[in-house]
Amino acid sequence: MYGVIWISLFFAMMGGYWYATQPVGPDAARPDLLAANMLVYQQAAVTYEAAHATFTGTIPASSLVFPSWYREIGPWIAEAPTAGTVATYNGAALDVPIEAMSEALHKLSGDNIAAGIAGSSGLIVPSNMVPSVVTPADVPIGAAVIVTEVQ
């Protein structure tokens, strides 16, 4: 009886290890998965900024605390351009159209007007509205970005 439990536990642990060590596959090219992954990264950055209220600059990924199940699949960069503000954006080209990524990011964030594409005159959300959200100067034009004011 106990042998079966130990064998089952062993295979469950091996399966978890196998999954955690697999390279990122074709699912990484789905805009909704990239957007969800970016939002988890953003939340970790917001938590960091809340604990370090006077910090400004690029937040080192090594300083962020992620859930144990999180595996970064995007080239995300988080920065605090001013104390109390966090912007997370893609630091390199994505494998999906930026418009699809922006739309998924906007939808998953609850139609947040601070989630969209960085434009020359501010943030552009999927409805082509340009809200009064200022994107930090370091965010490249055309990047998917979400800006959050830390409370």
Side-chain angles (χ1 to χ4, degrees), residues 31-126:
D32 56 336
L33 291 180
L34 282 170
N37 193 267
M38 184 178 182
L39 286 169
V40 172
Y41 197 95
Q42 169 74 357
Q43 184 56 49
V46 166
T47 301
Y48 177 87
E49 183 65 17
H52 304 87
T54 60
F55 179 84
T56 59
T58 301
I59 301 171
S62 60
S63 298
L64 301 177
V65 178
F66 297 104
S68 59
W69 49 263
Y70 180 76
R71 186 168 62 178
E72 183 180 344
I73 59 172
W76 313 129
I77 296 175
E79 67 175 66
T82 61
T85 303
V86 174
T88 300
Y89 58 95
N90 57 297
L94 299 172
D95 293 338
V96 298
I98 198 66
E99 294 80 11
M101 171 65 180
S102 172
E103 190 172 313
L105 185 61
H106 189 72
K107 182 187 245 182
L108 288 174
S109 66
D111 293 327
N112 185 341
I113 63 163
I117 300 173
S120 59
S121 60
L123 192 66
I124 302 168
V125 296

